[in-house]
Amino acid sequence: MGVASFLDAISAFFNSFGYISKHRLWGYCVIPAIICLLIAGFIAYWFTGYAQDFSDWAISKYPWEWGRETIAKIGSVLGTIISIAVSLASYKYLVLIISSPFMSLLSEKVEEIE
């Protein structure tokens, strides 16, 4: 994929806003956008506590008193990284599954226009 293809994709993305406005399709785009925001908020709320839980678990397995703060910090960082990775992976699929009925309506409407 070259630079020209990338620039064509960016141009098509920004041109799509004009197409959506011209054919009054914003109603079909609002519901999936709201769904995306709700899922993102739910996942952020759900996985926020897991970083601390991972840190607490790491501390419970560490037998010595010295170095507990370091283990807690490492556990918190690793827990955050794991939470973000799981969140991003699950977000993508949840958005696709839940918003696909609405996106198919948009696709049908665009097909009628063309």
Side-chain angles (χ1 to χ4, degrees), residues 61-111:
K61 300 297 181 189
Y62 189 71
W64 301 284
E65 201 54 44
W66 59 273
R68 277 189 174 272
E69 291 178 23
T70 304
I71 296 298
K73 190 59 94 175
I74 291 171
S76 178
V77 169
L78 284 176
T80 301
I81 291 170
I82 292 169
S83 295
I84 289 171
V86 171
S87 298
L88 289 176
S90 60
Y91 174 76
K92 175 175 64 173
Y93 293 111
L94 285 172
V95 167
L96 282 172
I97 290 167
I98 295 173
S99 67
S100 64
F102 303 104
M103 298 307 285
S104 68
L105 291 174
L106 176 62
S107 175
E108 290 174 7
K109 189 69 173 173
V110 167
E111 205 171 293

Side-chain angles (χ1 to χ4, degrees), residues 29-49:
C29 298
V30 170
I31 293 174
I34 291 171
I35 289 171
C36 287
L37 291 174
L38 290 174
I39 291 173
F42 173 74
I43 287 176
Y45 173 76
W46 183 265
F47 283 108
T48 302

Side-chain angles (χ1 to χ4, degrees), residues 49-65:
Y50 284 115
Q52 186 60 41
D53 291 343
F54 187 79
S55 176
D56 293 343
W57 175 81
I59 290 172
S60 72
K61 300 297 181 189
Y62 189 71
W64 301 284
E65 201 54 44

